[in-house]
Amino acid sequence: MKRFPKLLLKKLQQREASNALRKLPVSKELIDFASNDYLGFSQSETIFNETHEYLLQKKLKVNGATGSRLISGNHKLYPIIEDFIANFHQAPSALIFNSGYDANIGFFSSVPQRSDIILYDELCHASIRDGITMSNAKSYKFQHNNPDDLERIIINLKTQNPNSKTQNPEPKTLYLVTESVFSMDGDCPNLEELVRLSEKYHCNLVVDEAHALGVFGDSGQGLVQSLDLQDKVFARIMTFGKGLGCHGAAILGSAELKSYLVNFARSFIYTTGLSPHSVATILVAYQHLGSEKVAMQTLKSNIQFFNQEKMQLGLKPLFVYSKSAIQCAIIPGNEKVKSIANQLQEKGFDVKAILSPTVPEGQERLRFCLHSYNSEEEISNVLQLLSTFVF
């Protein structure tokens, strides 16, 4: 076997020296405060069985898509389920991608053009930032959840005229990019204010709803629809690996946007499609969002109870403000936060440490993910343990 390159080995050693080396975790039977399975849909035997029955009804006894959707993989479930998703989210169209990462890479690498500008929240997910990096458009980040800073940047850009020396400057489009729930903080932006700014300055607003689907809205539609802003947004990215407990993602937008992505989004064009089973699971999970209100209400009650408990135990100053299923306690230092996470795991609670460089140095944290299947007793116990470990 060839010798491993010294430069790569050095980078691994540097990660290990800073206590930031990532390793694949070993599965343990712990109380779940780590997964994104907010409603327990990934464990639902009912969804599993209904998906199987649906495939039998459609006479689909195949294991794979057999190719990209533009070649042989666009099996008959795709249009059925994309229409369902579009109707559910009150959007003109939906296009399914293999994952949220693929959706963001595909959108941001292809839609903004060389003459365009992307303005994104500084805490946007890596998939968004990777897609922006692949884009030909210029990009600027604005301070997290700070519309004033965003407007300042827009005004500065509007007063500049880099094309003034050309007779026919290319039309410039501004894209404003945010998440409805931020994955490492659990907080939400002021979407009404972002809509106001997008309309005032003629921008296209793009919202990643990965961690809002199944959590916000009467039927788990997400934060945008819960605020009745769906007609004010250029594109929404809905990811199915969290609240729906399955796999894949969809980009919601106009029919023209769907056609454009089919033609130019490389992460859509050059990959094998999802299997019929994966696509059918998405449909059945969506149907359960509309019918299973108990799980969503229990999740909301658990979020409220968690916030009450951390206040009573004097833990509130540690936590980022959040009314979502993601609750994060800032504990600076990789070594310290890993130590506390290990202690909680030894007590039977699966709580993960989020280390730098995933988050900025000094912003290391414990990330608690709440679920409909967590009990109030479990929530109380894990927070009481946390208080003994940090105080």
Side-chain angles (χ1 to χ4, degrees):
M1 182 178 292
K2 290 210 175 227
R3 183 177 298 175
F4 194 67
K6 289 183 179 180
L7 182 60
L8 302 186
L9 183 61
K10 183 179 178 181
K11 294 183 76 171
L12 282 175
Q13 290 168 341
Q14 288 172 342
R15 277 284 172 91
E16 191 161 23
S18 63
N19 210 10
L21 185 67
R22 296 182 176 101
K23 296 181 181 179
L24 293 174
V26 177
S27 180
K28 299 177 182 178
E29 296 297 322
L30 302 177
I31 297 169
D32 184 7
F33 282 100
S35 81
N36 296 322
D37 187 23
Y38 303 127
L39 300 174
F41 279 13
S42 76
Q43 309 166 52
S44 171
E45 189 175 339
T46 301
I47 290 176
F48 183 89
N49 291 334
E50 287 181 8
T51 299
H52 182 68
E53 288 301 318
Y54 181 80
L55 290 168
L56 293 179
Q57 290 170 14
K58 294 293 183 181
K59 295 182 172 54
L60 279 169
K61 297 182 181 180
V62 294
N63 297 316
T66 76
S68 73
R69 289 185 62 183
L70 288 167
I71 302 297
S72 61
N74 196 45
H75 50 76
K76 63 184 179 182
L77 295 189
Y78 269 117
I80 296 171
I81 294 166
E82 286 176 338
D83 285 347
F84 183 96
I85 292 170
N87 290 331
F88 184 91
H89 288 294
Q90 297 177 304
S93 70
L95 182 66
I96 291 176
F97 282 71
N98 285 10
S99 69
Y101 192 93
D102 280 349
N104 278 328
I105 288 286
F107 181 93
F108 290 104
S109 66
S110 68
V111 174
Q113 301 298 291
R114 188 178 300 276
S115 59
D116 296 338
I117 293 174
I118 306 168
L119 304 175
Y120 64 99
D121 190 292
E122 62 182 342
L123 297 189
C124 276
H125 191 264
S127 59
I128 293 173
R129 290 185 280 111
D130 287 353
I132 291 172
T133 300
M134 297 167 67
S135 170
N136 289 319
K138 291 183 179 179
S139 62
Y140 303 87
K141 61 185 176 183
F142 59 89
Q143 294 172 6
H144 178 54
N145 284 347
N146 190 335
D148 292 335
D149 187 54
L150 171 60
E151 186 168 26
R152 176 188 63 79
I153 296 172
I154 295 173
I155 291 171
N156 287 341
L157 291 169
K158 291 286 186 180
T159 56
Q160 298 172 4
N161 190 8
N163 294 314
S164 60
K165 295 182 180 180
T166 61
Q167 288 185 330
N168 298 302
E170 293 182 69
K172 180 186 297 183
T173 300
L174 268 64
Y175 291 88
L176 307 186
V177 186
T178 191
E179 300 179 24
S180 52
V181 177
F182 284 87
S183 60
M184 288 296 117
D185 283 56
D187 56 351
C188 302
N190 185 337
L191 285 179
E192 293 100 330
E193 181 64 10
L194 293 181
V195 165
R196 186 189 72 80
L197 290 176
S198 70
E199 293 182 334
K200 180 178 180 180
Y201 296 105
H202 309 290
C203 307
N204 288 340
L205 180 59
V206 182
V207 183
D208 186 321
E209 292 248 64
H211 292 276
L213 180 60
V215 180
F216 289 91
D218 292 338
S219 296
Q221 305 99 319
L223 187 60
V224 170
Q225 269 176 279
S226 73
L227 298 172
D228 197 27
L229 298 175
Q230 59 272 13
D231 295 331
K232 309 286 187 179
V233 176
F234 178 75
R236 283 175 280 167
I237 294 90
M238 314 302 301
T239 302
F240 310 140
K242 284 80 175 174
L244 289 191
C246 48
H247 200 72
I251 295 179
L252 309 176
S254 65
E256 293 85 357
L257 176 61
K258 179 174 181 176
S259 178
Y260 183 88
L261 292 168
V262 167
N263 280 276
F264 295 99
R266 294 170 70 86
S267 63
F268 175 87
I269 297 166
Y270 298 108
T271 189
T272 301
L274 291 172
S275 70
H277 187 277
S278 292
V279 179
T281 305
I282 295 167
L283 173 64
V284 175
Y286 260 110
Q287 291 171 339
H288 278 255
L289 272 188
S291 62
E292 290 190 15
K293 303 294 178 70
V294 174
M296 281 182 282
Q297 186 54 54
T298 303
L299 174 61
K300 291 174 183 176
S301 297
N302 281 345
I303 294 169
Q304 185 177 15
F305 183 77
F306 189 98
N307 280 317
Q308 291 170 349
E309 286 291 287
K310 73 186 185 190
M311 187 178 298
Q312 290 182 4
L313 291 167
L315 293 167
K316 186 179 178 182
L318 292 179
F319 279 83
V320 178
Y321 177 80
S322 169
K323 290 188 175 181
S324 77
I326 300 170
Q327 304 281 332
C328 292
I330 306 298
I331 301 174
N334 281 346
E335 186 172 350
K336 184 175 182 180
V337 74
K338 281 179 73 174
S339 173
I340 294 175
N342 289 336
Q343 291 178 74
L344 290 172
Q345 290 165 20
E346 288 170 1
K347 296 293 185 180
F349 295 95
D350 193 8
V351 178
K352 292 295 193 294
I354 308 298
L355 312 175
S356 57
T358 300
V359 292
E361 190 172 346
Q363 291 292 307
E364 295 84 4
R365 65 200 56 198
L366 292 175
R367 184 173 183 263
F368 295 81
C369 291
L370 306 180
H371 313 92
S372 60
Y373 50 85
N374 289 133
S375 68
E376 291 187 353
E377 182 182 9
E378 290 169 350
I379 292 170
S380 292
N381 288 344
V382 75
L383 287 177
Q384 286 170 4
L385 284 169
L386 176 63
S387 68
T388 63
F389 296 150
V390 297
F391 296 138

